[in-house]
Amino acid sequence: MKRPKILIVEDERKISRVLEIELDYENYETDVADNGKDALRLISEKEWDLVLLDIMIPELSGLEVLRRVRRTDEHTPVILLTARDEIHDKVSGLDLGANDYITKPFQIEELLARIRVHLRTPQVRKEAADLLTVGELSVNVSSREIIRDGKQIELTPREFDLLVYLLENKNIVLTRDQLIEQVWGFDYYGDTNVVDVYIRYLRQKIDKGFESPYIQTIRGVGYTIKELDK
């Protein structure tokens, strides 16, 4: 049976080592990151069944790591670990998409119980949520497979991220600034015309050769992807 994979993001070595030992004993596969940048790298490189994320870590805070992860991954369970017992931190974490939190010091039995709860979510629910569609166009977020009317389409990573965000907000008009922030990142300082360039790339691959386009320009506002009128 496959061992569930858990990423431990914790800069206090004694705590992360105890968590490694306990989780290994419970038959979980683990890896450790001790700062926010390494956490983001590991999260992007591998698939995880659950992430234990300390809020107070160097490089990038746990909340910032969570915010960036939730741009593209709404499903992997994240449990926040924090030494702070402040309502503000807990509310902020939950608002950003954390599934749960536990305040240090904690009993390992309680943490293990919470981990079991969040790993119990049926995989079929995640797979269904991973499939984004509009008309004859479907995108499987996990496998990155894109099909329109039976034809498989290949996209670059940035084109894929842009298409996914448009589909997640189907029928909603998105401004260039919104697309820049969500697809390129809040710290992107380039020209917003890059959005127009990538929309053109997407149209060449998604809409060209088909009778009606899904990607629509809303003059003076931005772009949307919408169901075609029948």
Side-chain angles (χ1 to χ4, degrees):
M1 183 177 176
K2 182 182 175 183
R3 299 171 67 194
K5 294 172 64 176
I6 296 178
L7 177 62
I8 302 165
V9 185
E10 170 61 69
D11 65 324
E12 293 187 45
R13 184 55 187 157
K14 288 183 179 179
I15 295 177
S16 64
R17 184 58 185 150
V18 168
L19 289 172
E20 280 185 287
I21 293 170
E22 293 287 350
L23 291 173
D24 182 67
Y25 181 77
E26 295 292 328
N27 202 36
Y28 296 116
E29 182 180 340
T30 63
D31 203 346
V32 176
D34 61 8
N35 64 74
K37 288 185 178 178
D38 283 348
L40 281 176
R41 177 179 57 79
L42 286 170
I43 290 169
S44 66
E45 290 176 353
K46 302 178 183 179
E47 289 189 9
W48 302 96
D49 295 292
L50 187 139
V51 178
L52 297 176
L53 178 60
D54 187 29
I55 288 181
M56 297 296 291
I57 50 176
E59 303 290 346
L60 292 171
S61 73
L63 292 180
E64 178 59 23
V65 170
L66 176 62
R67 192 180 74 81
R68 297 190 187 194
V69 167
R70 285 299 187 238
R71 287 179 188 165
T72 56
D73 179 358
E74 298 180 357
H75 310 295
T76 302
V78 176
I79 299 177
L80 294 179
L81 309 177
T82 176
R84 301 177 181 180
D85 195 18
E86 297 179 7
I87 295 298
H88 173 75
D89 293 320
K90 297 173 181 178
V91 171
S92 295
L94 294 172
D95 283 345
L96 287 170
N99 299 83
D100 204 349
Y101 62 83
I102 190 166
T103 303
K104 295 188 285 186
F106 50 80
Q107 296 295 319
I108 191 66
E109 291 80 7
E110 181 185 0
L111 178 61
L112 291 172
R114 295 190 186 202
I115 288 172
R116 288 192 293 271
V117 167
H118 291 293
L119 290 179
R120 214 173 284 150
T121 304
Q123 183 66 19
V124 65
R125 187 183 304 171
K126 178 180 183 299
E127 290 172 354
D130 276 349
L131 188 64
L132 301 173
T133 63
V134 58
E136 299 168 337
L137 175 67
S138 67
V139 176
N140 187 304
V141 179
S142 294
S143 67
R144 303 180 79 86
E145 184 179 48
I146 306 150
I147 295 175
R148 179 169 182 180
D149 196 22
K151 175 185 175 184
Q152 190 156 339
I153 297 167
E154 298 293 330
L155 298 179
T156 67
R158 187 74 76 186
E159 292 166 354
F160 181 84
D161 291 345
L162 178 56
L163 177 60
V164 165
Y165 189 66
L166 287 167
L167 284 170
E168 287 175 339
N169 295 274
K170 183 170 61 177
N171 300 320
I172 297 173
V173 180
L174 301 167
T175 67
R176 289 172 178 81
D177 287 339
Q178 285 176 300
L179 292 169
I180 283 286
E181 180 176 345
Q182 297 299 321
V183 179
W184 278 262
F186 78 101
D187 51 357
Y188 176 81
Y189 294 108
D191 194 332
T192 56
N193 285 340
V194 69
V195 174
D196 303 320
V197 172
Y198 273 82
I199 287 290
R200 187 167 69 249
Y201 293 160
L202 267 187
R203 281 177 165 151
Q204 287 288 321
K205 298 178 179 182
I206 298 298
D207 287 334
K208 187 176 180 180
F210 294 95
E211 184 176 346
S212 302
Y214 288 128
I215 301 172
Q216 304 288 319
T217 301
I218 308 302
R219 189 175 298 276
V221 183
Y223 298 99
T224 186
I225 195 165
K226 60 189 295 187
E227 299 277 4
L228 302 177
D229 295 330
K230 296 182 179 180

